[in-house]
Every structure is written in structure tokens, then in C-alpha cells.
Amino acid sequence: MSDDARPLPSATARAIARAYRPAHPLGSYWDYFYVRGKLSSDPLYPGIVDALRGTSAPVLDLGCGLGLLAHALRDAGLALPYRGVDIDAGKIARAARAATRAGLGETGFARLDLARGLPAHRGSVAVLDVLQFVPRQAHDGILDGAIAMLAPGAKLVIRTGFDDGGSRARVTRAVDVFSRVLGWMNAAPRHYPEREALCARLADAGLRVEVDSLSGDTPFNNWRVVAHAP
């Protein structure tokens, strides 16, 4: 995958976003418009779905937010059992409600602070736009825990920015800070991984590592890291 990566089609984004409409017509449409805009502008989910295609292991989504990966997987015809965890209890509740509304099978959600520990799991693991929001000292624990969860043939898929000092990195940090100011994120960015160190840690664990740009037409410094378990 490269910078020609594309987001979901607008019609698909709109269809998925319907599950995030408020229960009452006068309720907040924030999630609906966020989901619709996110899916139609960010190549994140097609890139992660593409990485998981061909696998059969259950997927644990660490820092799942509103659970959009579950919807993208089902839209692509991937019926992988899915579980999402996130520190934000409000997002978890809304993710579960949207999954129910959309009729997604074999999905589950739970609140969890990744800095304090990981749940039991065996399969593939997704860590999407998460590492920069946890303290540097927690990175190793999250990565080691995710690696230990991988079943044979499963994958660890990561989307992250890298601390490379470029203009895209500065834009990414600014937007992450703004997300915290808006209250969308529970934490400000703490530490962006270094590409060489991250890849070396995964390779030292015996995983085959691939790194591709996942910025698409956005100005952000986003990368997809796929680590294949033997």
C-alpha cells in the first residue's frame, strides 16, 4: 500500500454511519457525521481490512474507539470474530449500540485502560492510532502483550505516525493535540514510535514485518505496520 491508498466510497461510509445516528431525532449527530467523514476521507480501514484478508483468526482491536473496524470488516465480507476495547466508556457504549443496530455478528466491546494491562486473547491484533496516546514506558508492554497473543498465521496490524521530524509528523501531532482539546481523545499525544526501533522489536520476536504508507491524500504521517506470525 502507498500514498494512492483510498478511503471507503462515500455511499459505503454513509451506510455505515447510519448505525451511529441518535435514538431521538433531536439527539446529537456528532458520531454520525464523524463516522461518515472519517470513513470517506481516511484510507485507514480499507488498509487494515486488506492486511487481514486471508486470515481466519479472531481480531482484538486495542483502542477501538467507536468500533469502526468491525463495520469495515463486515462490509468487506470478512466474518472474523471481533472484540474491541477502549479506555473511553462512552465510546464503548456507542460502539456496542451501533454494532447491534447494524446487525454485526460475533462482535463485543469492553472498557479497558491499555496502560494497565491487556485482556486475554489468541488471534490477530489491531493497534490503530493508539501508541502515540500512551506513555512511552507503556509501549513495550502493549507491543509485547500483542505479540504474545498472536496465533499461528495471525497478524499484528498497527497504524501509527513515526517520530521522523518531517512536516507530516508536525501536522499529525498538531491534529492529535487538537483532538484532545476538543475532548474527542482522552489523552494528548505522548510519544510517537521510532520506525527502526518498532520494526526491530517485531522482527526480534520472529515476525515478518512490512511497512507501507497509509497517508493517502491526507496531510498526516500515517503508516501501516503489518507483522506476520509464522
Side-chain angles (χ1 to χ4, degrees), residues 54-123:
T55 65
S56 58
V59 177
L60 175 64
D61 190 359
L62 299 177
C64 66
L66 292 173
L68 297 184
L69 178 57
H71 294 264
L73 289 169
R74 298 299 182 266
D75 175 73
L78 275 64
L80 306 175
Y82 169 96
R83 182 165 52 131
V85 297
D86 197 281
I87 192 174
D88 191 322
K91 288 181 181 178
I92 285 295
R94 279 134 56 202
R97 183 169 61 245
T100 299
R101 281 181 174 178
L104 303 187
E106 292 194 87
T107 61
F109 298 91
R111 183 187 180 279
L112 182 72
D113 183 353
L114 300 182
R116 296 180 177 272
L118 302 179
H121 175 71
R122 190 70 172 163

Side-chain angles (χ1 to χ4, degrees), residues 1-225:
M1 186 148 313
S2 63
D3 280 342
D4 62 356
R6 291 290 178 261
L8 289 172
S10 296
T12 302
R14 186 166 57 250
I16 291 174
R18 291 193 188 104
Y20 292 86
R21 285 179 171 176
H24 191 280
L26 297 181
S28 173
Y29 279 78
W30 172 270
D31 285 352
Y32 169 77
F33 286 111
Y34 168 79
V35 169
R36 184 172 168 179
K38 176 75 170 177
L39 294 179
S40 62
S41 63
D42 190 342
L44 167 62
Y45 295 102
I48 301 306
V49 167
D50 182 61
L52 291 172
R53 198 178 299 279
T55 65
S56 58
V59 177
L60 175 64
D61 190 359
L62 299 177
C64 66
L66 292 173
L68 297 184
L69 178 57
H71 294 264
L73 289 169
R74 298 299 182 266
D75 175 73
L78 275 64
L80 306 175
Y82 169 96
R83 182 165 52 131
V85 297
D86 197 281
I87 192 174
D88 191 322
K91 288 181 181 178
I92 285 295
R94 279 134 56 202
R97 183 169 61 245
T100 299
R101 281 181 174 178
L104 303 187
E106 292 194 87
T107 61
F109 298 91
R111 183 187 180 279
L112 182 72
D113 183 353
L114 300 182
R116 296 180 177 272
L118 302 179
H121 175 71
R122 190 70 172 163
S124 292
V125 182
V127 185
L128 311 180
D129 298 336
V130 167
L131 291 177
Q132 65 264 36
F133 292 106
V134 298
R136 171 65 185 89
Q137 59 270 24
H139 282 204
D140 291 348
I142 292 174
L143 291 172
D144 289 346
I147 291 168
M149 294 174 181
L150 295 177
K155 297 177 182 179
L156 169 58
V157 289
I158 300 171
R159 211 270 288 259
T160 186
F162 287 128
D163 186 13
D164 56 19
S167 60
R168 282 181 178 267
R170 291 191 292 272
V171 170
T172 301
R173 179 178 290 277
V175 171
D176 285 344
V177 169
F178 188 58
S179 295
R180 173 55 181 153
V181 171
L182 286 178
W184 182 247
M185 301 301 298
N186 278 346
R190 306 287 191 88
H191 177 82
Y192 293 82
E194 296 82 21
R195 176 171 176 163
E196 293 76 12
L198 175 60
C199 292
R201 190 173 197 89
L202 298 174
D204 288 346
L207 306 177
R208 179 169 59 87
V209 183
E210 298 175 344
V211 181
D212 304 285
S213 173
L214 204 53
S215 295
D217 292 331
T218 75
F220 306 120
N221 189 38
N222 291 328
W223 296 85
R224 182 185 69 174
V225 181

